[in-house]
Amino acid sequence: DYKNDPRTDWLLAKLDAVAPAKVLLLCRTRAKVQALEEALRLRSGLPVARFHEDMNLLQRDRNAAYFADPEGARLLIASEIGAEGRNFQFAQHLVFWDLPFHPDMLEQRIGRLDRIGQLGEVHLHVAAVAGSPQEILMRWMHEGLDAFTHVVADGRELLRRFGEELLQLVGQDVDARDAALADMHRRGVRGLR
């Protein structure tokens, strides 16, 4: 239930700020797609298209076309099935409702918009609550790997090397997390270059 989730408020404000631009929102599961669509329908009435694995190919094609139509949905909410294979280069805004743990999957998600035919600059937005596991993952991807602006050539190796440490940061206080993230960056990225 995302009706009272602070990220929903953030998302509605972000959609207003970038209007009338098209926005692709990616999350992990069908259940999240449906819950988020329900929350947005109840709170805003914004025309939304959805895209998930429980839809047949015809339904997904229709919703992708509704999103592509200049008069259609401004927002497409998609599960992992929308993070691969489909191209939405007519949109310039990508929202990560939840980040993938693997840097290569992040690159795959960004590639839905950042591809041949993209006519503008791609803007990435992450829905992360301060102090949450998503914020830790966002900081590692951004500050440690620079994964939002560059391809991470050794994502698999970095995840193998630091995945367990990253998971352990969730229960630590802010100062300990900051120090550990800085240390991981020093030991990791430089060691692979």
Side-chain angles (χ1 to χ4, degrees):
D1 180 6
Y2 293 123
K3 286 186 290 290
N4 299 313
D5 189 305
R7 295 175 302 163
T8 304
D9 295 330
W10 170 86
L11 177 61
L12 288 168
K14 183 63 65 185
L15 291 169
D16 282 345
V18 303
K22 299 277 186 174
V23 178
L24 173 63
L25 184 148
L26 294 172
C27 53
R28 284 192 194 102
T29 66
R30 173 200 48 81
K32 287 182 181 184
V33 169
Q34 291 173 320
L36 187 53
E37 181 199 26
E38 172 76 6
L40 292 174
R41 186 178 54 75
L42 291 172
R43 298 217 18 221
S44 74
L46 178 76
V48 174
R50 56 187 168 143
F51 196 94
H52 57 74
E53 56 278 2
D54 285 354
M55 300 169 78
N56 65 43
L57 184 58
L58 180 61
Q59 291 170 316
R60 290 194 305 260
D61 285 346
R62 283 182 179 159
N63 282 1
Y66 178 49
F67 180 53
D69 182 339
E71 302 301 317
R74 282 192 45 235
L75 175 67
L76 175 69
I77 305 172
S79 66
E80 288 293 342
I81 198 168
E84 294 182 10
R86 288 285 179 145
N87 299 324
F88 302 104
Q89 64 266 31
F90 54 85
Q92 280 83 42
H93 293 271
L94 176 59
V95 172
F96 298 98
W97 192 252
D98 44 26
L99 287 167
F101 195 60
H102 201 296
D104 294 343
M105 290 178 69
L106 178 72
E107 181 182 339
Q108 182 72 249
R109 286 182 174 193
I110 294 169
R112 298 310 89 220
L113 272 58
D114 189 17
R115 56 189 322 100
I116 293 172
Q118 177 55 258
L119 300 177
E121 185 176 330
V122 174
H123 303 275
L124 306 175
H125 313 279
V126 180
V129 175
S132 71
Q134 280 296 302
E135 184 204 23
I136 295 167
L137 187 55
M138 177 190 69
R139 289 190 55 204
W140 183 62
M141 295 275 192
H142 176 61
E143 298 166 17
L145 304 181
D146 201 18
F148 296 115
T149 55
H150 296 92
V151 173
V152 179
D154 297 311
R156 181 177 300 162
E157 175 60 21
L158 288 165
L159 187 60
R160 184 195 63 74
R161 198 182 286 183
F162 296 109
E164 282 300 316
E165 274 184 80
L166 199 56
L167 290 172
Q168 292 173 8
L169 293 179
V170 173
Q172 295 183 7
D173 66 52
V174 173
D175 292 335
R177 272 198 316 255
D178 288 347
L181 282 167
D183 181 58
M184 286 168 59
H185 175 61
R186 278 190 300 278
R187 289 182 294 125
V189 176
R190 290 191 182 126
L192 290 175
R193 290 188 179 159

